[in-house]
Amino acid sequence: MGAGTGGRRMALILGIESSCDETAAAVVSDGCVVRSSIVATQHDLHERYAGVVPEIASRAHLERILPVVEEAIREAGVALDDIDAIAVGHEPGLIGSLLVGLGAAKALAWSRSIPLIGVNHIHAHLWSPCLDAEPIEYPALGLVASGGHTTIFLVTSPTEISPLGASIDDAVGEAFDKAATILEAGYPGGPAIEALARDGDDRSLKLPVARLGDTLDFSYSGLKTALLYAVRGQPVGRGREVTYPRSAGDLDHQARADAAASFQRAAIGALVRNMDRALEQHEVTGVLVGGGVTANGCLRRELAAICESRSLPLRLARPEYCLDNAAMIAGLAAPLLAADLTHGMDLAAAARVPVKSA
Ligand code: AMP
Ligand code: MG
């Protein structure tokens, strides 16, 4: 099956994304042709807190949403009148942030009397390999590895996905962010760890990731603790009184780089191991990969190797579509619209939802 055209004309869709710390808008035609994709990141606002502060995020979305939407329409070279539908990432995410995008999307759809399409953010990451790319064949195996999610999916059509395994605690991106805090490597954590790891020996520390029996689930909290103890030494005391014999600042560059490389090898090794096992268990025609962590060069190379050994096409999202963006929201909305999966003005935002088909 192709990318969900179903023989019907696909629409010119304006997408809006505001689930976390990126305010984004995009215009996409035919589900895959990106006419514009504007992303206003808030990294500068959250850096001093080493993580996203929800109140700061929603206020920044409010300030940026309309200029970002206007820029997306201008850059696409279209008028608001040309837009056939408005798509919005309405779940999951930070509730205050989601509400800003949802409010803007409803206002636009209502004022133009055009359909409103609520899109699941995780599902949209699985669509991101289709952007500016050839249509996909189904069924495919999907991996979303991001700051909030680490899930393997069976993707049977553009609109039908079922989770096969997921992290039972921290997401892999969250583990990268915490590793960067432990190693005082910078913010956001993923790219900082990847850069530091380039100078390191990835076998210098033994940092295991738990295997959860026969499942395709993940657990990253133990890896984070193992890195913490390796870098700072064994803790002394308990609870709030706990102290460590040293901090990352006491280590030289080589020791920090070795720790970053060892962490990256373990974190990515778990993703690749479970993807490999999922490929043994499910007959698929290709592999779809999206989410912020999939910008990581090591992960991209290792996934390419397991797909090549099986002669399966690997469809990685382009680097600019790995991180949160609105093109993936507008793109997935096309097959949803074609299947009449639209919403009314009562569409709600949801912070947490089980990931399921549209
Ligand atoms: P998302 O949640 O999809 O916006 O992705 C953000 C997450 O991706 C954050 O946890 C980042 O630390 C992580 N990330 C971004 N780039 C990289 C990279 N090159 N390597 C590993 N993780 C990354
Ligand atoms: Mg995301």
Side-chain angles (χ1 to χ4, degrees):
M1 185 173 158
T5 56
R8 287 173 59 172
R9 173 188 166 272
M10 289 280 232
L12 188 66
I13 297 181
L14 170 69
I16 293 178
E17 154 64 34
S18 66
S19 64
C20 190
D21 60 343
E22 331 278 359
T23 317
V27 175
V28 177
S29 59
D30 295 337
C32 301
V33 182
V34 180
R35 305 278 295 265
S36 66
S37 176
I38 308 298
V39 181
T41 66
Q42 302 176 7
H43 292 162
D44 53 330
L45 301 179
H46 303 286
E47 184 170 12
R48 60 192 288 219
Y49 306 102
V52 177
V53 182
E55 288 78 9
I56 294 176
S58 22
R59 185 177 306 188
H61 285 308
L62 265 179
E63 288 167 1
R64 296 165 189 205
I65 191 82
L66 290 182
V68 165
V69 166
E70 281 166 2
E71 196 179 339
I73 291 173
R74 196 169 47 245
E75 199 170 284
V78 298
L80 196 48
D81 277 349
D82 300 324
I83 301 291
D84 295 308
I86 307 290
V88 61
H90 72 117
E91 60 177 26
L94 300 171
I95 195 73
S97 293
L98 289 167
L99 285 170
V100 176
L102 184 58
K106 283 182 180 176
L108 285 165
W110 183 79
S111 64
R112 311 306 305 172
S113 300
I114 52 178
L116 174 70
I117 304 155
V119 175
N120 178 287
H121 178 95
I122 313 305
H123 193 168
H125 273 304
L126 287 173
W127 186 263
S128 57
C130 301
L131 298 171
D132 290 337
E134 292 300 308
I136 280 177
E137 298 294 317
Y138 297 94
L141 191 71
L143 170 67
V144 175
S146 72
H149 300 269
T150 312
T151 310
I152 296 177
F153 293 94
L154 188 63
V155 186
T156 42
S157 80
T159 57
E160 288 165 299
I161 58 173
S162 47
L164 301 174
S167 178
I168 60 164
D169 42 51
D170 294 351
V172 61
E174 196 180 346
F176 267 91
D177 293 334
K178 286 177 177 165
T181 304
I182 292 167
L183 285 166
E184 297 169 21
Y187 180 87
I193 290 288
E194 184 174 14
L196 184 59
R198 280 192 200 108
D199 298 337
D201 170 5
D202 66 3
R203 287 171 196 269
S204 61
L205 297 179
K206 221 172 162 24
L207 298 174
V209 175
R211 284 172 196 255
L212 300 170
D214 287 339
T215 72
L216 295 172
D217 289 337
F218 303 89
S219 169
Y220 279 104
S221 65
L223 173 63
K224 173 192 65 192
T225 310
L227 178 71
L228 178 72
Y229 293 176
V231 171
R232 293 195 187 160
Q234 285 300 313
V236 180
R238 309 182 79 176
R240 285 169 178 243
E241 305 300 316
V242 76
T243 57
Y244 294 90
R246 57 178 184 269
S247 71
D250 298 320
L251 304 181
D252 64 14
H253 176 76
Q254 192 57 53
R256 289 170 58 246
D258 287 348
S262 303
F263 165 85
Q264 180 172 260
R265 177 165 178 265
I268 281 171
L271 293 177
V272 175
R273 181 182 73 211
N274 277 7
M275 285 297 280
D276 203 31
R277 292 183 54 222
L279 286 172
E280 269 163 27
Q281 296 167 12
H282 298 273
E283 206 160 305
V284 292
T285 54
V287 173
L288 306 176
V289 177
V293 179
T294 65
N296 184 282
C298 256
L299 176 59
R300 293 170 88 88
R301 282 191 295 278
E302 292 197 23
L303 287 174
I306 60 167
C307 287
E308 202 180 314
S309 72
R310 290 184 155 81
S311 303
L312 278 176
L314 171 64
R315 297 290 303 272
L316 294 158
R318 294 161 74 115
E320 66 268 36
Y321 303 133
C322 287
L323 292 158
D324 288 348
N325 66 86
M328 66 184 191
I329 303 287
L332 176 57
L336 296 177
L337 182 64
D340 290 327
L341 293 168
T342 62
H343 295 94
M345 285 296 137
D346 58 350
L347 177 66
R352 288 172 182 274
V353 280
V355 187
K356 53 179 180 7
S357 296

